[in-house]
Amino acid sequence: MREQLLKSFVDMDEQEAVKIARELVETDGGAVAVLDTCKEAMEEVGRLFEAGEYFLSELIAAGDMFNQIMEFTLPKLQGEEVASLGTMVLGTVQGDVHNIGKDIFKVMAEASGINVIDIGIDVPHEKFVEAIKEHKPELVGMCCLITLGVDSMKRTIEVIKEAGLRDDIKIIIGGGRVSQAVMEHVGADAWADDAARGVRLSKELLGKE
Amino acid sequence: MVSPEMQKLAEERAARMKAANELKEPDRVPFSGLGGDIIAAYAGISSYEYNFDFEKNRQAIIKWNTDFPADSPQGGVGGLDNLSLSVAFVDFPDLANSIFMLNGPMNDVLDMKFARFPGRQLDEYSSPQFIGGKNMEPEEYDELIADPQKFAYEKILPRISNNLQDMSSPKALATMARLGMVKAQQAAELMKTGQALAELGFPSGGGFGFGFAPLDYIGDHLRDLPNVVLDIRKYPDKVKAATRSILEVLFKLAMQNQHADTIMFPLHLNEYLSPKLYNEFYWPTLKEFILRLAENGKKSSLFCEGWHDPHLETFLELPAGWGRAMFEKTDVRKAKKILQGHTVIQGGIDVGVVISGTPAKIDEYMKALLGDMMPGGGYICGPNVGNLPRETPIENVAAVYEAIEKYGKY
Amino acid sequence: MVSPEMQKLAEERAARMQAARELKEPDRVPFTGLGGDVIAAYAGITAYEYQFDFEKSRAAVLKWLKDFPSDSAMIGAGGLDCLPLAVAFSDFPDLAGGFMVVNGPMNDILKMKFARFPGRELDENSSPQFIGRSNMDPSEYDELIANPQKFAYEKILPRLSDNFKDLNSPLALATMARAGLERVRQGAEMAKTMAAIAELGYPFGPAGGLSYAPLDFIGDHLRDIPNTVLDLRRYPDKVKAATESILEVLFKLATANPNVASVGFPLHLNEYLSPELYKEFYWPTLKEFVLRLAEKGIKSSMFCEGWHDPHLETLLELPAGWGTAMFEKTDVRKAKKVLQGHTVVQGGIDVGVVISGTPAQIDEYIKQLLDDMMPGGGFILGANVGNLPRNTPIENIAAVYEAVEKYGKY
């Protein structure tokens, strides 16, 4: 059943995957099996994306399947120890109110085992600082879609520096208009212009791969 | 740019009008000027062009006011009153007042059943005309009384505009967008005309707005004139209650026009009503309207259409200095006797005399008129109706202006 | 007035663009220039002022175009696409075209929920932003397919703005009237700006239009992007039928203005779709759209947002000379290899480099880019996305323009 679930999930067969997961979750130890299988499937979808075989629509569809399945799986996992790779504070930077890219990344990051604290869109610099103080993440993710976000990320990172928090965290920036040059310009540690790359690099920054 | 000389002329003209409006004697009798369809004829254009081509309209107005300068400019874009639309949109003050008058291009957009324009429904040399019609049943008085705005929007607009028949249709919304576009284009044109008139030494500022006697709104726009005089007898309480509801919305409209220091009221049903009916159904809400405007620092100006003699004394119920009364058939001399020192009187020139007289007769006529009307001040000389027909002899028009110059000095 | 010297300059610039559009080599590589938020910053005004104060934005644009001259003028403060409104009024060609894009002052009137403007919903130095949201339930596909115009009007408009929540309401109608007024006001401002730009020697070619790939209309305005990609799998036949219906109304809109010579398509879902999905759901109706426009002598230009590499070959299904493809992340060198002699390639300058590089690096970058891209012609140099942020170093921008001067001659 786990293999069937993995296959139908990766093949984007939504109805089949959800149906199998519903059956599997009711078996003994099934909830953990569903969670692990879906994580594995998400990872495979990410790999296929990075290989150029899958596209954003597949990432979105996979994320949607993952969320659908988790909706009935997570309640059954209460009390189980779920391993976390680490914590990440994630937000779209001040001035930018887009959320699609952030949301695609978020579900993939969560599926990979990262505990994601989503602080929303158009996030003021100070709110990043407050969230870092409160959640003590290992990682901070900043998203932007529009070019204006570049300025905003640079300022956010400066504010984090001024608060004396920069050395405690790694920063990854993401979005359609970021690049190696932009990463150096704003002073981040990694960059990704797609969610799969973003998750892979996040795991690297957490020292998990 | 307005030259210093023309600036000075504008100030003189404004001071002259102001003195008369304050019931005093100015340096010379203020003269509102003659105008109407003759302005287009004088410029050699059709009424259609005058109403629809704003460039030609402006040229005609400039030519007329250059050759026949009075104390206020003559001419504009002829319009028909469009009160139901303003009432329907009274909650949108930026729009409501600007759509109060319906001109030709606006009617191309709205296609109002009551409107006839030259070159469209009429011959291209005709004047714009308002055709009254019955747009409401007597059973609907309660709805009207409950909410005149809602009633105008929901019931009247679909009945009077061919393009607003289905108010939920794309056509209705598109019509409104087009109306906005036409208004914006016209505003730009009218600003140019205003600038040109300022360069001719006409005072700007001190705009005017429109008001209506509440019963006239029922008569002109809802029930039509014959029906409303029957309604007064058949449903007196409903009619009275309706005038009170309508007063509120019309007052709101008038007050929205922040640039207006004077509100003009064309009276229509006055001539139809006995003093008894006038005092019961017409005058109470009109009087309250004027009193409320006065409280808010606005003057009123009543154009008393037809024969107003039986109602003259009612003006005295208003405080002295409330405003101005213009007369059509009522003899201004008679009005002066009653209203001197209380109400500014405007008018006096019978357009019939201008159309059919000779320059010599007109000179004599004007001399007698001014001799009787000027003493004591508070008088503005002008025609008894606003429209001189296209065929009016120009030498007769000139004779009026010359007579003002000759006999108008205090 | 445009001086003869500037007239000559405009002709040179137009000829340069024209040659590249005909896939030829001009005298120099045509350059669309850089722009965006930095234009306001360079003039010392906020993004809010740039968006809402036409006087200030005109001055900012003129300053920019004077100091950073290129071959085409980017005018206006930009807006957000508002296609559903245009579709809803597609039976009214005089209106629909003007409703394609909503800018700040217009959105003060329309209050579209998808729109965010600086100084309103956003910080005063932010860029205008479009926020996709789902405005349609999948159960409504049949209605959409049956009549996209009716569906956009009856179902989508009320969901896009509370001002249209009740289409049959004074608020909805007043909103349209205000939108009409605003359009004419902006048209006059735009005409002033264009006249001033023409004095700087910039050509204004024939009218250009804006449209959408039918699937993007669903993705951006009806279902939102994530739902649309799910719908492709869940309701493939409905989605396909919907794109076919939408094509008809968008084609009607795009060709409503008989003077239109080119239509621009910003592609959004291209980056989301695998070649299989692209070819099944996205490309067929976009291709037919472009072919139908070509039959009418109208060129197309596609802004291929994001990474378009997997779909490059599909452009070869169009006849050579169909139009221009602009690229964001796709390497223009790669595009040139595939499209040379068939499709005009536009873009090449990565704004990331302009934002974060040094003048020396930029000089080298542009030199290499032009070396690779100019040979054989059919290339228009420009930024890979339209918007340079406010803090872009001005010396980097200057470096781009200098490099184009230095290395851009054929």
Side-chain angles (χ1 to χ4, degrees):
Chain A
M1 251 167 126
R2 283 187 64 156
E3 269 175 27
Q4 280 172 289
L5 174 58
L6 183 67
K7 185 173 186 310
S8 52
F9 194 115
V10 173
D11 289 348
M12 301 283 123
D13 190 341
E14 177 189 3
Q15 283 180 331
E16 184 69 9
V18 172
K19 195 182 116 217
I20 298 169
R22 277 194 192 284
E23 289 169 21
L24 184 56
V25 82
E26 298 302 333
T27 63
D28 195 28
V32 175
V34 168
L35 177 65
D36 289 346
T37 309
C38 288
K39 282 180 166 183
E40 198 185 332
M42 286 294 281
E43 210 171 309
E44 178 59 16
V45 169
R47 255 197 301 277
L48 288 167
F49 180 85
E50 288 210 81
E53 287 179 43
Y54 273 6
F55 290 74
L56 280 169
S57 77
E58 282 79 15
L59 293 190
I60 292 170
D64 187 70
M65 264 188 282
F66 187 81
N67 283 337
Q68 280 186 62
I69 293 171
M70 285 308 116
E71 211 174 4
F72 57 79
T73 304
L74 289 179
K76 301 203 183 282
L77 281 168
Q78 272 164 4
E80 301 271 353
E81 187 66 33
V82 179
S84 164
L85 297 182
T87 297
M88 176 183 212
V89 163
L90 177 70
T92 300
V93 292
Q94 182 163 8
D96 195 329
V97 290
H98 292 94
N99 63 357
I100 295 179
K102 174 175 73 62
D103 292 350
I104 296 173
F105 171 82
K106 180 186 170 186
V107 59
M108 290 193 68
E110 285 175 333
S112 80
I114 298 172
N115 171 34
V116 179
I117 313 286
D118 185 350
I119 56 174
I121 53 171
D122 192 11
V123 177
H125 319 313
E126 299 73 26
K127 200 173 158 194
F128 270 100
V129 170
E130 285 161 24
I132 293 167
K133 285 182 181 163
E134 186 187 341
H135 300 288
K136 308 220 171 351
E138 289 87 355
L139 204 53
V140 172
M142 296 178 192
C143 307
C144 74
L145 176 68
I146 51 175
T147 50
L148 163 135
V150 174
D151 286 349
S152 194
M153 288 192 293
K154 191 172 186 337
R155 268 179 290 149
T156 304
I157 294 176
E158 279 162 10
V159 171
I160 292 172
K161 261 186 206 153
E162 284 159 20
L165 299 168
R166 181 67 182 90
D167 295 338
D168 305 339
I169 52 163
K170 298 284 187 193
I171 296 176
I172 181 167
I173 57 171
R177 311 242 146 98
V178 304
S179 62
Q180 179 72 22
V182 170
M183 180 196 88
E184 288 166 14
H185 178 67
V186 304
D189 300 308
W191 67 277
D193 62 354
D194 69 64
R197 176 185 156 96
V199 171
R200 181 165 54 75
L201 293 176
S202 295
K203 283 158 83 177
E204 277 176 23
L205 288 172
L206 290 166
K208 302 295 174 187
E209 246 161 68
Chain B
M1 282 302 298
V2 181
S3 69
E5 192 192 344
M6 288 299 140
Q7 181 60 38
K8 189 165 164 283
L9 183 56
E11 281 161 21
E12 282 170 18
R13 285 167 167 166
R16 196 169 291 141
M17 279 289 184
K18 184 161 185 285
N21 278 327
E22 287 170 356
L23 299 162
K24 294 181 217 156
E25 288 189 354
D27 60 336
R28 186 168 75 48
V29 67
F31 176 42
S32 67
L34 303 176
D37 291 353
I38 179 78
I39 296 176
Y42 186 65
I45 61 173
S46 66
S47 292
Y48 163 68
E49 290 170 302
Y50 186 75
N51 276 286
F52 287 88
D53 182 331
F54 281 65
E55 182 61 43
K56 286 183 177 162
N57 172 280
R58 176 163 46 249
Q59 294 314 323
I61 288 172
I62 291 170
K63 183 174 162 65
W64 182 263
N65 284 288
T66 303
D67 293 355
F68 299 108
D71 291 311
S72 59
Q74 279 292 318
V77 182
L80 303 171
D81 108 69
N82 193 24
L83 203 50
S84 293
L85 194 66
S86 288
V87 169
F89 291 99
V90 68
D91 291 335
F92 305 88
D94 54 323
L95 294 176
N97 269 280
S98 74
I99 51 183
F100 207 110
M101 296 300 285
L102 179 79
N103 58 39
M106 283 169 73
N107 195 50
D108 283 352
V109 172
L110 287 167
D111 196 4
M112 291 293 193
K113 290 174 186 162
F114 62 74
R116 304 283 186 277
F117 280 94
R120 292 285 190 264
Q121 303 82 6
L122 301 171
D123 177 89
E124 63 177 328
Y125 291 99
S126 189
S127 314
Q129 287 169 54
F130 180 94
I131 307 299
K134 189 185 73 168
N135 298 308
M136 165 189 163
E137 294 304 319
E139 299 76 52
E140 295 177 309
Y141 266 112
D142 286 338
E143 265 184 86
L144 167 65
I145 292 162
D147 190 342
Q149 178 272 325
K150 190 163 179 271
F151 185 70
Y153 177 82
E154 289 178 4
K155 296 293 164 69
I156 302 303
L157 288 192
R159 295 172 190 169
I160 62 174
S161 163
N162 287 317
N163 288 338
L164 299 177
Q165 260 168 20
D166 176 0
M167 299 282 270
S168 64
S169 67
K171 190 180 181 184
L173 270 74
T175 295
M176 293 305 288
R178 286 172 171 161
L179 181 64
M181 290 173 70
V182 165
K183 286 310 297 178
Q185 285 156 0
Q186 294 186 350
E189 294 289 344
L190 293 179
M191 217 155 80
K192 277 197 238 173
T193 304
Q195 178 61 29
L197 288 170
E199 285 168 17
L200 293 178
F202 288 100
S204 50
F208 58 85
F210 287 97
F212 244 56
L215 193 65
D216 275 331
Y217 176 56
I218 304 177
D220 283 1
H221 293 283
L222 304 180
R223 292 283 292 144
D224 91 8
L225 285 180
N227 279 313
V228 81
V229 298
L230 298 176
D231 288 354
I232 285 175
R233 292 169 202 282
K234 289 185 191 164
Y235 323 101
D237 296 341
K238 303 267 186 207
V239 174
K240 240 182 270 180
T243 59
R244 269 181 241 118
S245 285
I246 292 165
L247 168 62
E248 297 308 322
V249 62
L250 294 187
F251 178 71
K252 191 169 161 188
L253 264 177
M255 288 307 296
Q256 282 168 358
N257 192 344
Q258 289 165 354
H259 304 295
D261 53 27
T262 304
I263 303 296
M264 317 261 275
F265 292 83
L267 310 192
H268 293 154
L269 276 162
N270 55 328
E271 196 184 27
Y272 288 73
L273 303 176
S274 67
K276 186 173 168 295
L277 291 177
Y278 185 88
N279 287 331
E280 187 174 353
F281 294 95
Y282 194 92
W283 179 239
T285 46
L286 175 58
K287 177 181 166 184
E288 192 180 334
F289 203 156
I290 295 167
L291 289 174
R292 284 206 216 166
L293 288 172
E295 270 169 36
N296 285 281
K298 289 185 196 281
K299 297 222 177 197
S300 296
S301 169
L302 270 47
F303 174 54
C304 306
E305 214 172 88
W307 189 59
H308 201 68
D309 298 39
H311 315 308
L312 275 178
E313 270 82 6
T314 58
F315 288 129
L316 296 175
E317 297 169 25
L318 299 168
W322 65 273
R324 183 162 33 150
M326 291 178 267
F327 296 100
E328 186 185 356
K329 292 189 201 152
T330 288
D331 182 354
V332 288
R333 292 168 180 82
K334 181 174 173 189
K336 180 181 162 81
K337 277 198 195 93
I338 296 169
L339 302 172
Q340 179 89 54
H342 179 278
T343 294
V344 179
I345 293 172
Q346 181 173 336
I349 306 173
D350 180 355
V351 299
V353 172
V354 184
I355 295 166
S356 58
T358 62
K361 273 191 204 160
I362 289 167
D363 184 86
E364 185 54 36
Y365 174 87
M366 290 299 298
K367 185 178 179 210
L369 175 69
L370 295 179
D372 290 342
M373 292 303 294
M374 283 171 59
Y379 171 63
I380 297 167
C381 185
N384 67 336
V385 284
N387 192 10
L388 280 175
R390 294 180 67 89
E391 301 75 22
T392 311
I394 286 299
E395 62 272 22
N396 289 1
V397 173
V400 172
Y401 283 75
E402 282 156 22
I404 299 271
E405 278 302 314
K406 244 159 77 184
Y407 309 116
K409 298 207 177 54
Y410 272 97
Chain C
M1 281 301 296
V2 181
S3 69
E5 194 191 344
M6 288 297 136
Q7 180 60 39
K8 190 165 160 282
L9 183 57
E11 281 161 20
E12 281 169 19
R13 286 167 165 168
R16 198 168 290 143
M17 280 287 185
Q18 177 66 18
R21 291 208 175 105
E22 289 170 359
L23 300 163
K24 294 182 216 155
E25 288 190 352
D27 59 338
R28 228 172 44 60
V29 67
F31 176 38
T32 60
L34 303 175
D37 292 352
V38 69
I39 296 177
Y42 185 65
I45 62 173
T46 63
Y48 163 70
E49 290 169 305
Y50 188 63
Q51 181 69 224
F52 286 89
D53 184 330
F54 281 81
E55 193 63 45
K56 285 183 180 164
S57 74
R58 175 159 46 244
V61 166
L62 292 175
K63 180 176 162 67
W64 183 264
L65 291 174
K66 242 182 247 173
D67 293 356
F68 299 107
S70 64
D71 293 312
S72 74
M74 274 167 288
I75 52 168
L80 302 170
D81 113 68
C82 193
L83 213 49
L85 192 62
V87 169
F89 291 99
S90 52
D91 289 338
F92 305 88
D94 57 322
L95 295 177
F99 285 141
M100 291 263 193
V101 171
V102 58
N103 59 21
M106 188 59 98
N107 201 53
D108 283 352
I109 293 165
L110 295 174
K111 297 203 164 38
M112 289 292 174
K113 291 174 187 168
F114 60 71
R116 302 283 185 282
F117 283 98
R120 291 287 187 263
E121 302 83 4
L122 301 172
D123 176 87
E124 62 174 357
N125 274 326
S126 190
S127 317
Q129 291 171 58
F130 179 93
I131 303 304
R133 52 200 287 284
S134 175
N135 295 306
M136 163 187 163
D137 191 82
S139 62
E140 295 176 310
Y141 267 112
D142 287 338
E143 266 185 84
L144 166 64
I145 294 161
N147 189 342
Q149 178 273 322
K150 189 162 180 272
F151 185 70
Y153 180 77
E154 289 178 5
K155 295 295 165 68
I156 301 303
L157 261 196
R159 297 171 192 169
L160 286 183
S161 164
D162 286 342
N163 284 13
F164 297 116
K165 210 173 186 169
D166 179 0
L167 288 168
N168 181 355
S169 68
L171 178 59
L173 271 73
T175 298
M176 291 303 286
R178 287 172 172 163
L181 279 157
E182 179 61 17
R183 240 178 85 185
V184 170
R185 186 185 77 88
Q186 293 192 8
E189 293 288 345
M190 188 59 80
K192 267 199 238 173
T193 302
M194 286 173 73
I197 290 174
E199 285 172 19
L200 296 178
Y202 285 91
F204 285 103
L210 170 76
S211 197
Y212 252 50
L215 191 65
D216 276 330
F217 181 62
I218 301 177
D220 281 6
H221 291 289
L222 304 182
R223 290 284 292 144
D224 92 10
I225 286 178
N227 280 311
T228 302
V229 302
L230 297 174
D231 289 352
L232 297 184
R233 296 169 198 283
R234 292 176 184 164
Y235 323 102
D237 295 342
K238 303 264 184 207
V239 175
K240 241 179 273 178
T243 58
E244 279 152 25
S245 285
I246 291 165
L247 168 63
E248 298 307 323
V249 63
L250 293 186
F251 181 74
K252 183 174 157 184
L253 274 174
T255 52
N257 175 355
N259 300 318
V260 149
S262 67
V263 174
F265 293 89
L267 311 192
H268 292 154
L269 278 164
N270 56 326
E271 194 185 28
Y272 287 76
L273 303 178
S274 64
E276 302 84 77
L277 291 176
Y278 185 85
K279 283 183 194 146
E280 187 173 353
F281 295 97
Y282 193 92
W283 179 238
T285 46
L286 175 58
K287 178 181 166 182
E288 191 179 336
F289 204 154
V290 173
L291 289 175
R292 283 207 216 165
L293 290 172
E295 269 170 36
K296 288 186 159 262
I298 300 170
K299 297 224 178 200
S300 297
S301 79
M302 293 183 198
F303 173 52
C304 305
E305 211 172 272
W307 189 60
H308 201 68
D309 298 41
H311 315 310
L312 272 180
E313 271 81 9
T314 57
L315 292 172
L316 296 174
E317 296 170 24
L318 299 168
W322 66 273
T324 304
M326 290 177 264
F327 296 101
E328 186 186 357
K329 290 191 208 152
T330 287
D331 183 354
V332 286
R333 293 167 181 86
K334 184 175 172 187
K336 180 185 162 79
K337 279 199 195 89
V338 177
L339 302 170
Q340 178 88 54
H342 177 280
T343 294
V344 181
V345 174
Q346 181 172 331
I349 305 174
D350 178 358
V351 299
V353 173
V354 183
I355 294 167
S356 57
T358 63
Q361 282 168 350
I362 288 167
D363 184 88
E364 183 56 30
Y365 174 86
I366 298 285
K367 180 174 191 283
Q368 281 178 17
L369 176 68
L370 293 180
D371 276 353
D372 292 340
M373 293 302 297
M374 283 170 60
F379 174 62
I380 297 169
L381 179 69
N384 69 333
V385 283
N387 192 11
L388 280 174
R390 291 179 69 86
N391 287 353
T392 310
I394 289 297
E395 63 272 22
N396 289 1
I397 290 167
V400 172
Y401 283 76
E402 281 157 23
V404 174
E405 266 312 300
K406 244 158 80 182
Y407 310 116
K409 294 205 180 58
Y410 272 95

